[in-house]
Amino acid sequence: SVVAYAADSATISFEDLKYVAGDVDCNEVIEAADMVVLKKVLMETIEAERENTADTNGDGDINILDLVRLKKYFIDSSVKLGK
């Protein structure tokens, strides 16, 4: 689930709240298919639905580190996605 704080409410639309880092295909589930989509985004064969979902480490850039973080998420449940 996504938690929005009062300070964030002015900058995050309600629609964006249901999309979280790691849900690259924006189907509201983080799954292996998201890694495939992120690989395609990195290879520039497709564009990300929402950039904030592809930026899995929350650093503001979409790069190979985001794919590594997403893979680690599936291996180790203690890995957090996003900021």
Side-chain angles (χ1 to χ4, degrees), residues 34-77:
D34 293 301
M35 288 192 298
V36 174
V37 173
L38 184 52
K39 285 180 187 180
K40 290 179 180 182
V41 168
L42 293 173
M43 293 185 316
E44 298 181 355
T45 58
I46 64 170
E47 290 186 26
E49 280 286 318
R50 293 183 168 349
E51 288 191 16
N52 60 335
T53 64
D55 182 16
T56 64
N57 63 6
D59 68 357
D61 294 319
I62 300 172
N63 54 40
I64 192 68
L65 297 175
D66 297 302
L67 183 59
V68 170
R69 181 78 161 212
L70 190 55
K71 285 183 178 184
K72 285 182 180 180
Y73 172 81
F74 287 108
I75 294 169
D76 181 357
S77 62

Side-chain angles (χ1 to χ4, degrees), residues 3-58:
V3 176
Y5 298 96
D8 296 333
S9 63
T11 58
I12 300 174
S13 71
F14 180 76
E15 181 65 20
D16 285 337
L17 288 177
K18 69 180 181 180
Y19 299 106
V20 297
D23 181 16
V24 186
D25 61 6
C26 298
N27 69 348
E28 300 181 29
V29 179
I30 299 175
E31 57 195 347
D34 293 301
M35 288 192 298
V36 174
V37 173
L38 184 52
K39 285 180 187 180
K40 290 179 180 182
V41 168
L42 293 173
M43 293 185 316
E44 298 181 355
T45 58
I46 64 170
E47 290 186 26
E49 280 286 318
R50 293 183 168 349
E51 288 191 16
N52 60 335
T53 64
D55 182 16
T56 64
N57 63 6

